[in-house]
Amino acid sequence: MKIKYLGTAAAEGIPAIFCECDNCKKSRKAGGRNIRTRSQALIDNTLLIDFPADTYMHFLEYELPLAKIKNCLITHSHSDHLYPAELIMRKKGFSHINDEKPLVFYSDEAGYNDIKAVKEEKNISDDDILVNKIKLFKEFEVEDYKVTALRAAHDPKSSPVVYIIEKDGKTLFYSNDTSEYPDESMEYLKSLNKPFNLISFDCTEACRNATYVGHLTLDRCIALREKLFEAGAADEKTIFVLNHFSHNGTNVVYDEFVQIAKANKFEVSYDGMEIEF
Ligand SMILES: [Zn+2]
Ligand SMILES: [Zn+2]
Ligand SMILES: [Zn+2]
């Protein structure tokens, strides 16, 4: 399985739109991996995770094959993960797509409702866009992938989930936006009793001392990794990637943070990063 990180920032991007803070200034000046767009990932060039406003930029930057992509998992309804206003562009006439299959979204309640509302308002047919409401803790199939959504610890109004994605014996745990998982999700992970090959963590606040529910810091990622080891969800071969960074984090600028994370045996995502496992 291959994951390509297309966007690796929290809501505002890095540098953040409208911002003059030091992290934003430093990131802009350093360029390259220090620039982060809003959250999106692509599995094996075919299965999309999230649909932020920066999808268009990812389409330009990475030749994202959007006409060919038929399935998209939505983690939650926040705008850095789901930007439904763009969906009218998938309607016939706004785009010309050779094969007739619709783009199918999978989401829990809030994202499902937002996509449905845009479909109704803009009169987008099922031939162009479909949306399925997922059932949590219940495996479903998308293409050749087995997918399971677990409840995330994040703004409940956004119906947040994290995804287990499995194919050919390889398993990815795509885990943002969330802080330490709710008990029901932790119990589910324990019940699987099988280590994941790659775990992608939310590390929104980097080295900042933040304790709120919804996102994580490096210290809390270290503790959560330990819990996943104890739960049997990770072993010494599991690759851990830190993802979803905010300019409000401490030491969050990539060039600075990558050293700190490496010393703690974490990979750090950047826009365009690919990992095959
Ligand atoms: Zn986010
Ligand atoms: Zn800033
Ligand atoms: Zn969010």
Side-chain angles (χ1 to χ4, degrees):
M1 193 182 294
K2 186 173 83 178
I3 180 168
K4 181 165 184 158
Y5 287 91
L6 303 166
T8 58
E12 309 94 322
I14 301 182
I17 185 163
F18 302 119
C19 191
E20 297 183 312
C21 82
D22 283 348
N23 282 337
C24 287
K25 279 188 212 151
K26 269 193 231 167
S27 296
R28 189 188 281 283
K29 192 159 180 246
R33 293 179 183 183
N34 299 282
I35 306 295
R36 297 183 184 276
T37 62
R38 270 68 70 89
S39 270
Q40 192 170 39
L42 182 63
I43 311 301
D44 299 330
N45 224 26
T46 184
L47 177 61
L48 204 54
I49 307 178
D50 283 336
F51 200 87
D54 291 340
T55 302
Y56 182 63
M57 188 183 166
H58 301 156
F59 164 72
L60 295 175
E61 186 81 14
Y62 307 112
E63 294 179 39
L64 187 59
L66 277 176
K68 303 235 169 353
I69 289 170
K70 303 300 176 199
N71 294 288
C72 181
L73 307 174
I74 298 295
T75 56
H76 63 300
S77 68
H78 286 163
S79 67
D80 53 326
H81 301 265
L82 175 62
Y83 187 71
E86 193 82 289
L87 295 181
I88 191 175
M89 302 308 162
R90 186 64 171 63
K91 200 173 159 173
K92 273 178 200 70
F94 289 87
S95 52
H96 306 276
I97 295 176
N98 291 333
D99 89 56
E100 303 269 294
K101 291 194 194 109
L103 172 57
V104 185
F105 288 91
Y106 302 82
S107 177
D108 195 20
E109 187 87 22
Y112 172 83
N113 289 340
D114 288 353
I115 295 171
K116 239 179 123 213
V118 159
K119 279 191 67 180
E120 274 160 27
E121 189 198 335
K122 304 291 182 191
N123 205 11
I124 303 171
S125 89
D126 288 352
D127 296 336
D128 296 328
I129 285 179
L130 274 176
V131 57
N132 291 329
K133 193 172 352 174
I134 53 175
K135 287 194 176 72
L136 269 68
F137 305 104
K138 216 166 162 45
E139 190 177 277
F140 57 99
E141 286 194 13
V142 181
E143 299 176 27
D144 298 329
Y145 300 89
K146 287 178 182 155
V147 180
T148 311
L150 313 186
R151 177 59 74 215
H154 196 62
D155 173 13
K157 287 196 206 90
S158 68
S159 307
V161 302
V162 289
Y163 285 107
I164 299 169
I165 302 169
E166 186 183 349
K167 190 188 173 187
D168 299 334
K170 300 285 180 169
T171 314
L172 161 71
F173 185 33
Y174 190 81
S175 173
N176 66 265
D177 301 6
T178 189
S179 48
E180 294 82 359
Y181 313 112
D183 289 346
E184 49 181 344
S185 298
M186 207 60 205
E187 287 308 312
Y188 187 88
L189 291 171
K190 275 185 199 154
S191 75
L192 291 178
N193 198 26
K194 208 177 132 205
F196 297 124
N197 299 93
L198 191 149
I199 297 175
S200 183
F201 271 157
D202 180 304
C203 195
T204 302
E205 302 290 350
C207 298
R208 187 175 150 209
N209 181 24
T211 55
Y212 68 91
V213 171
H215 290 298
L216 287 169
T217 67
L218 176 61
D219 283 348
R220 288 163 73 188
C221 285
I222 292 169
L224 187 55
R225 174 172 61 185
E226 222 30 68
K227 275 196 183 160
L228 292 183
F229 268 98
E230 282 163 23
D235 66 12
E236 67 287 346
K237 289 197 213 108
T238 304
I239 303 163
F240 282 88
V241 184
L242 303 179
N243 183 40
H244 192 275
F245 296 96
S246 162
H247 64 127
N248 289 321
T250 302
N251 304 113
V252 75
V253 174
Y254 177 87
D255 289 343
E256 219 172 303
F257 186 65
V258 73
Q259 314 291 341
I260 303 166
K262 280 237 157 82
N264 287 286
K265 299 193 175 62
F266 284 109
E267 301 284 329
V268 179
S269 71
Y270 56 86
D271 288 18
M273 180 196 215
E274 289 184 344
I275 305 181
E276 201 151 0
F277 58 95

